[in-house]
Amino acid sequence: MNTHLDINFTKTVLDNGLEVILYKDNALPLVSVNIWYRVGSANEKPGKTGFAHLFEHMMFQGSKHVEKEMHFKYIQEAGGSLNGSTSIDRTNYYETLPGNSLQLALWLESDRMGFLLDGLTQKKLDNQKDVVMNERRQRYDNQPYGLAWEILFKNLFKPDFPYHWPTIGWMTDIENYNLDDVREFFRTYYSPNNASLVIAGDINEKKALENVDKYFRSIEPVNSIPGIKYTDPSLNEDINVVHEDNVQLPRVYIAWISDHIFGQDDAPLDILSDILGSSKNSRLYKKLVHEEQLVQDISCFQYSAKLTGMFIIVATIKPGSEIPEVEKIIFNEIEKLISEGVEENEFQRVINGIKSSFIYSLQNLEQLANQINSYNFFLKKDDPFNYDLKRYNKVRMEDIEKIAFKYLKKPRVKLQIIPQK
Amino acid sequence: MEEFRKQKPQNESVIRFISPEINKVILRDKSSLYLVNKNNLPIVQIENVLNSGSSYDPAGKEGLAYLAAMLLDEGAGKFSALELNNEFEKMGTSFSISADKDEIHISALTLSEYAERTIELISLVLNEPAFTEADFIREREKLLTRILQIKDNPSLLASGLFNKVLYNNSVYENPLYGSKQSVEGITLDDVKNFYNNNIMLNEFSVIVVGSQSDKNYESLINSSIIHGIDKKAQRELKVTVDAEFSPVIFLNDKANSPQTEIRIGNCTNRRPHPDYFAKHVLNSILGGQFSSRINLNLREDKGYTYGASSSFNYDKLSGEFVVSTSVQSEVTADAIREILKELNNIKKGVTDEELEFSKSYLIKKFPSHFETYSQISSNISTLITHELQENYFENYLDNLLSVQKDDVINAAQKYIMPDKCIILLVGNKRLILEKLKASFNYPVIELNRDGDRIELHQ
């Protein structure tokens, strides 16, 4: 399999600190504009959780030169699609539209970066607080197992570690947002020197850069952006949590603290998670779904973030089975992997899967633009696509058992979601 | 002051886009093969469309098509279930089988260098499924557990119940997954019969999106994927819908639920119809995108919900119009009133501005539907399902352009029926029932999670 990827882009930094990355691909007459602000829920303070996510709403409410509702309308009228997302580490805002409407996207993005507060009103805030509370009800409170992730993170991280709270925020915090806090949060984090802009697609690079300069040059940077304070997230002992939910089947979550994104153990942890639980032939699926038939589904993944990573196993228990017997088999399989190592064919299967998913992911411009921003934020290396692929090639088979020993013998959090009595 | 900030910038040029050419070939078993040349990446998407969805389930055996689809790739030829999966995975091929009301889809996305092997394996899945007793029992158990799980999910539950009430007494009434009772009654012989009589004999098509210069897919598929030669005449399936409802509220009680899932709508017609494009523009104005009337009202003005939308959905034999949203329990009746208000208002007309906005949105968005290999494949699959003309995409923009204001209003009057609709709710009865009865003069029929009518609240 030829695994060298030919993805070349150029990076420029404006005087105000805005990082600009251009990638030309004229397969279709489309352009994708993708901005990452280096602010996520980890930048929030207890009592004020959910602000980064609130901005994902407020940033679409218009700004000085853009009336409420018009941000969406302008992009849609041009045939574009748009959205934003919030994680613990960053927020992103993006739109994909016909290549001839690039200026429109730059005009809108620069207006909300430079002039959001001029368009901010109490009415807009109140409306979006209601929307966010309904988002929370719909996506978390009213979903089966919907609260599992926030309970897991709350227990995996101590209150002073910035991954302790959910990105959407606690309901009581959302209810109490006020305009002054919103203004202060914006002034602190939404500046050109805390952002990176990727433009990918059918562009003339010189003209694109001139337009970026036109719209963004005059936006003032901020003096200092507060860093994130955190302490060692290691767990000292096992933590067990049981939560009753309106569900028919119990589900168990087992989570360990692991390595951060692009850390030296991140790639082997990824491979380990695939060997244990990503497909029909993975060890836990084969044992628990196929052979013993004790669980309905099982998955395993390395969720790596900026400050640390988490290695997580999730299993939904079938009627008639119990969490303890499933848990026992999971730990037996982990022990077996540590003592006997992994086999050539499973190792190769996983590596091939990772490489081909890499190629498949290049089909979509929006995803590609976001990936470039992700590398720029987390990795900061030249030729990042090939760097990323190569780190999987460097992993040796015997590394996997060592990584399993290093991380999965440590204390873990076990969360059981059980049917309400 | 930077003057340029005050005005929205103008477009710099005109976009030229021609949708990819679709080359249709008839295979030696009389099936159709659709080829599209795309070569910006070394990958290929292969999709098989089998006209054997859940509408072919025999009475009392609901869930059979779905279970047959689950079982198709649980071992084939000399490979056991896990071995077969390993054959795909060691190439990094992403392989899946899905079923809906009308069809079963077998799809694979693979690196081009593995295209031949992927086609061989698909052929095995299609022609030599193992259908062992052990695999059957395991997969049936999985399906029974899934049926249990669906009832936990308010959104899936609401859509399923809406479908059941809407398509009462027709082949579309039953849930794709079947019910506990029907699935428990399915035997391995039922699956084999379904395979022999439907999967192998009903209409079949293959789609290949990839570089057509380095491989001859026609000959590869002709020599490998063989489908039943003696095709039987298509069974005449019909969807007859109960008389119109004079609005009825159906309610499934979900105790302690903080929100109510709402579905409001009515049956319409099939997709191949001259009104399709007018309906498409109409829906875009009403609830088909973020800046539509329904979403701006319920979300951006009232803050009742995270989002509200409407759509015309099309199956092979029928179509439906539905508004979907999930709102805070306390405002359930208010949200229903606002939705009905929007449905009534749109029948009175739309503005020039709305019409131009929606047409511009739909027309300019067109190129983005052809970005990924699977998007192109899925577009062709739509042509197959709804028996659309082969030049459908070539004429798409002209058809949209020709939609006039009167067409939209006519479509609204014909297809949106606030006076004869179904209102289906999954929510907290204790919090919402009294206000529903006080607000509307409609009967409230309580349903259990299986859709059986359990109580009438007048």
Side-chain angles (χ1 to χ4, degrees):
Chain A
M1 191 192 289
N2 174 16
T3 50
H4 188 84
L5 302 171
D6 202 14
I7 300 167
N8 301 307
F9 46 81
T10 57
K11 181 169 168 180
T12 318
V13 183
L14 303 190
D15 290 343
N16 60 11
L18 178 68
E19 297 177 313
V20 183
I21 300 171
L22 303 177
Y23 171 69
K24 188 177 169 68
D25 171 2
N26 50 13
L28 282 175
L30 295 174
V31 62
S32 201
V33 175
N34 183 297
I35 295 196
W36 276 38
Y37 288 96
R38 294 187 277 272
V39 55
S41 59
N43 298 81
E44 295 158 0
K45 295 183 184 69
K48 308 272 182 198
T49 64
F51 261 94
H53 173 261
L54 174 73
F55 272 83
E56 196 199 311
H57 287 251
M58 299 314 293
M59 294 279 269
F60 292 94
Q61 293 295 309
S63 39
K64 185 173 181 181
H65 307 96
V66 181
E67 295 291 314
K68 179 173 159 95
E69 290 173 12
M70 291 316 289
H71 188 103
F72 258 93
K73 272 194 179 161
Y74 286 140
I75 302 256
Q76 291 188 300
E77 190 177 33
S81 58
L82 63 164
N83 214 334
S85 77
T86 308
S87 82
I88 46 185
D89 297 319
R90 96 290 177 275
T91 41
N92 68 359
Y93 295 89
Y94 49 90
E95 45 273 325
T96 299
L97 58 182
N100 63 353
S101 296
L102 173 59
Q103 274 210 56
L104 172 67
L106 298 177
W107 175 64
L108 289 166
E109 288 297 356
S110 64
D111 211 61
R112 62 185 177 183
M113 183 188 282
F115 312 95
L116 183 86
L117 296 184
D118 301 274
L120 182 67
T121 63
Q122 185 67 46
K123 197 178 163 202
K124 284 183 187 174
L125 175 62
D126 288 343
N127 167 250
Q128 289 305 309
K129 275 164 69 173
D130 281 338
V131 173
V132 171
M133 285 190 272
N134 273 313
E135 178 179 358
R136 212 196 125 86
R137 290 182 192 109
Q138 183 177 332
R139 296 177 59 183
Y140 303 86
D141 300 334
N142 203 26
Q143 284 302 316
Y145 316 101
L147 297 176
W149 293 109
E150 67 182 44
I151 298 172
L152 192 65
F153 275 50
K154 188 178 159 182
N155 285 284
L156 199 51
F157 300 104
K158 295 179 195 77
D160 62 352
F161 194 90
Y163 292 169
H164 178 76
W165 52 90
T167 50
I168 195 163
W170 301 117
M171 195 62 122
T172 46
D173 290 352
I174 302 171
E175 282 162 10
N176 290 319
Y177 293 154
N178 66 57
L179 268 185
D180 287 341
D181 291 336
V182 171
R183 288 195 189 100
E184 192 201 320
F185 198 81
F186 182 81
R187 286 193 190 107
T188 310
Y189 295 109
Y190 295 78
S191 62
N193 52 328
N194 202 35
S196 55
L197 166 67
V198 172
I199 303 175
D202 189 11
I203 53 169
N204 172 319
E205 284 144 301
K206 185 169 167 282
K207 239 168 103 181
L209 199 55
E210 280 169 13
N211 279 321
V212 170
D213 194 62
K214 170 179 165 186
Y215 287 100
F216 288 88
R217 180 183 48 205
S218 64
I219 302 174
E220 292 289 323
V222 295
N223 278 333
S224 70
I225 296 154
I228 296 173
K229 288 196 189 103
Y230 64 102
T231 49
D232 176 15
S234 304
L235 291 173
N236 298 321
E237 56 183 0
D238 285 352
I239 297 175
N240 296 304
V241 190
V242 178
H243 174 78
E244 286 188 8
D245 195 1
N246 190 3
V247 292
Q248 318 271 330
L249 303 176
R251 188 176 276 179
V252 62
Y253 298 72
I254 304 169
W256 294 264
I257 296 292
S258 64
D259 198 8
H260 63 87
I261 189 165
F262 297 118
Q264 59 167 2
D265 294 336
D266 185 35
L269 280 160
D270 248 352
I271 297 171
L272 170 65
S273 73
D274 281 356
I275 288 174
L276 280 177
S278 73
S279 74
K280 269 188 185 173
N281 271 288
S282 63
R283 293 184 172 204
L284 294 175
Y285 189 98
K286 195 164 154 182
K287 188 80 184 169
L288 285 160
V289 181
H290 200 85
E291 291 169 10
E292 304 290 336
Q293 298 175 33
L294 298 172
V295 310
Q296 177 73 356
D297 53 62
I298 188 158
S299 58
C300 179
F301 49 93
Q302 151 76 354
Y303 174 24
S304 49
K306 193 163 194 278
L307 309 181
T308 184
M310 296 134 254
F311 192 89
I312 302 172
I313 296 174
V314 187
T316 311
I317 315 298
K318 283 183 101 158
S321 316
E322 306 278 348
I323 290 178
E325 58 179 331
V326 169
E327 193 190 348
K328 199 173 148 211
I329 294 176
I330 291 174
F331 280 94
N332 281 346
E333 285 296 323
I334 291 171
E335 285 300 334
K336 201 172 139 203
L337 188 146
I338 292 172
S339 59
E340 296 169 19
V342 300
E343 288 167 20
E344 172 74 32
N345 65 358
E346 61 182 343
F347 183 73
Q348 210 47 54
R349 184 185 71 230
V350 165
I351 298 283
N352 288 350
I354 290 170
K355 285 180 187 167
S356 54
S357 330
F358 240 87
I359 315 256
Y360 303 153
S361 74
L362 306 176
Q363 293 180 77
N364 180 281
L365 206 54
E366 197 161 276
Q367 209 177 334
L368 187 68
N370 197 56
Q371 190 58 46
I372 293 173
N373 240 335
S374 172
Y375 286 141
N376 183 61
F377 178 66
F378 291 117
L379 184 60
K380 303 181 200 308
K381 297 260 187 214
D382 291 336
D383 196 13
F385 284 90
N386 286 307
Y387 178 94
D388 193 3
L389 254 181
K390 271 187 204 139
R391 67 191 182 116
Y392 292 94
N393 281 335
K394 283 186 198 152
V395 178
R396 293 163 309 161
M397 241 169 73
E398 53 274 23
D399 295 340
I400 304 303
E401 65 217 55
K402 288 180 194 150
I403 285 297
F405 179 79
K406 181 172 173 186
Y407 290 96
L408 306 190
K409 300 289 276 182
K410 286 187 176 165
R412 87 291 177 274
V413 172
K414 181 175 77 178
L415 165 64
Q416 305 178 63
I417 305 281
I418 57 169
Q420 273 162 1
K421 292 186 184 95
Chain B
M1 182 60 214
E2 300 165 309
E3 286 299 317
F4 62 85
R5 293 206 186 274
K6 291 185 181 165
Q7 284 294 324
K8 174 177 84 112
Q10 295 306 307
N11 290 346
E12 286 157 45
S13 54
V14 177
I15 290 288
R16 291 189 196 289
F17 173 73
I18 299 166
S19 61
E21 195 181 320
I22 302 167
N23 183 12
K24 183 177 171 182
V25 201
I26 302 298
L27 296 168
R28 68 184 167 99
D29 66 356
K30 308 284 187 287
S31 301
S32 304
L33 169 65
Y34 297 81
L35 300 167
V36 172
N37 186 38
K38 184 170 170 70
N39 52 16
N40 58 318
L41 287 170
I43 62 180
V44 56
Q45 169 89 27
I46 301 161
E47 185 166 348
N48 304 266
V49 183
L50 303 154
N51 184 13
S52 308
S54 67
S55 52
Y56 288 91
D57 286 346
K61 302 276 184 189
E62 292 81 15
L64 180 55
Y66 190 82
L67 184 55
M70 282 174 81
L71 212 58
L72 266 183
D73 65 337
E74 294 297 314
K78 61 177 184 179
F79 300 113
S80 71
L82 292 180
E83 287 165 354
L84 179 65
N85 172 262
N86 192 49
E87 289 300 303
F88 282 114
E89 290 216 325
K90 70 186 188 195
M91 304 184 286
T93 300
S94 130
F95 177 80
S96 65
I97 302 185
S98 65
D100 57 34
K101 284 178 183 171
D102 300 309
E103 292 159 345
I104 292 173
H105 292 251
I106 303 177
S107 314
L109 179 62
T110 187
L111 296 174
S112 313
E113 61 191 287
Y114 301 127
E116 283 94 341
R117 181 63 180 150
T118 301
I119 289 170
E120 274 172 34
L121 291 173
I122 291 174
S123 173
L124 272 189
V125 166
L126 192 63
N127 294 299
E128 299 175 45
F131 289 151
T132 70
E133 188 68 27
D135 291 325
F136 168 73
I137 290 171
R138 186 189 60 246
E139 295 306 305
R140 190 178 59 180
E141 274 308 306
K142 254 189 225 168
L143 178 53
L144 285 166
T145 308
R146 197 169 294 169
I147 290 168
L148 199 62
Q149 283 182 300
I150 290 164
K151 293 174 184 168
D152 285 342
N153 185 312
S155 169
L156 290 179
L157 183 62
S159 295
L161 291 174
F162 180 75
N163 180 78
K164 190 175 169 81
V165 176
L166 190 70
Y167 288 115
N168 192 18
N169 289 325
S170 83
V171 292
Y172 281 163
E173 172 188 3
N174 293 302
L176 179 62
Y177 304 101
S179 64
K180 180 171 184 286
Q181 199 193 357
S182 70
V183 172
E184 277 172 349
I186 295 175
T187 64
L188 182 56
D189 279 341
D190 291 328
V191 172
K192 288 179 180 168
N193 287 337
F194 189 85
Y195 169 79
N196 289 322
N197 298 328
N198 290 299
I199 292 180
M200 284 315 276
L201 293 184
N202 291 1
E203 215 172 9
F204 172 75
S205 315
V206 189
I207 304 161
V208 180
V209 181
S211 167
Q212 305 293 336
S213 54
D214 58 323
K215 286 194 180 62
N216 185 338
Y217 285 104
E218 182 183 350
S219 104
L220 277 174
I221 286 174
N222 248 332
S223 60
S224 188
I225 296 184
I226 308 159
H227 189 254
I229 302 283
D230 302 317
K231 301 224 181 321
K232 68 173 180 185
Q234 288 302 301
R235 181 159 62 125
E236 270 297 307
L237 284 180
K238 273 203 179 121
V239 168
T240 44
V241 179
D242 278 4
E244 295 121 349
F245 292 81
S246 52
V248 180
I249 298 177
F250 292 92
L251 168 66
N252 171 253
D253 181 23
K254 192 167 190 296
N256 303 323
S257 173
Q259 284 196 325
T260 307
E261 283 284 347
I262 302 179
R263 304 288 180 275
I264 297 180
N266 51 265
C267 267
T268 64
N269 53 1
R270 297 179 62 219
R271 171 142 177 190
H273 191 282
D275 290 341
Y276 171 78
F277 288 93
K279 285 160 81 181
H280 198 37
V281 174
L282 159 70
N283 185 60
S284 163
I285 297 171
L286 178 60
Q289 38 81 28
F290 189 90
S291 304
S292 64
R293 289 185 182 187
I294 289 176
N295 190 58
L296 290 185
N297 181 350
L298 269 73
R299 172 182 153 130
E300 294 295 290
D301 187 45
K302 307 290 188 311
Y304 289 163
T305 175
Y306 177 46
S309 65
S310 70
S311 56
F312 285 100
N313 302 326
Y314 300 98
D315 297 309
K316 209 180 184 75
L317 308 168
S318 179
E320 75 207 28
F321 168 75
V322 61
V323 179
S324 309
T325 186
S326 179
V327 304
Q328 191 184 353
S329 303
E330 288 75 5
V331 299
T332 301
D334 305 298
I336 295 171
R337 192 179 305 109
E338 289 301 320
I339 292 168
L340 294 176
K341 191 176 95 190
E342 295 296 349
L343 301 190
N344 281 308
N345 279 347
I346 198 122
K347 293 162 86 81
K348 294 175 197 152
V350 298
T351 66
D352 290 331
E353 198 194 339
E354 286 178 316
L355 180 72
E356 288 318 309
F357 168 80
S358 283
K359 282 168 71 170
S360 172
Y361 168 65
L362 296 172
I363 287 167
K364 291 179 180 164
K365 208 160 76 98
F366 185 62
S368 69
H369 298 312
F370 296 87
E371 202 186 353
T372 67
Y373 286 63
S374 63
Q375 269 180 311
I376 295 176
S377 180
S378 147
N379 291 340
I380 297 174
S381 148
T382 303
L383 297 186
I384 297 168
T385 306
H386 300 294
E387 298 155 45
L388 303 174
Q389 305 281 336
E390 273 161 59
N391 58 7
Y392 176 81
F393 292 112
E394 279 164 50
N395 298 337
Y396 182 89
L397 295 178
D398 285 340
N399 278 322
L400 270 178
L401 271 171
S402 70
V403 174
Q404 302 299 314
K405 213 161 144 184
D406 283 347
D407 303 326
V408 174
I409 298 166
N410 287 340
Q413 287 170 353
K414 223 159 132 184
Y415 301 110
I416 310 253
M417 306 175 185
D419 301 329
K420 296 169 185 169
C421 66
I422 289 167
I423 300 169
L424 183 289
L425 311 172
V426 173
N428 189 336
K429 182 170 92 173
R430 187 176 54 82
L431 290 181
I432 65 180
L433 182 62
E434 288 313 311
K435 199 164 170 197
L436 285 175
K437 289 201 291 192
S439 306
F440 305 103
N441 202 12
Y442 310 145
V444 180
I445 298 173
E446 196 172 338
L447 304 174
N448 65 16
R449 287 177 174 190
D450 293 318
D452 305 319
R453 298 171 187 215
I454 52 176
E455 203 179 341
L456 176 68
H457 304 273
Q458 284 288 16

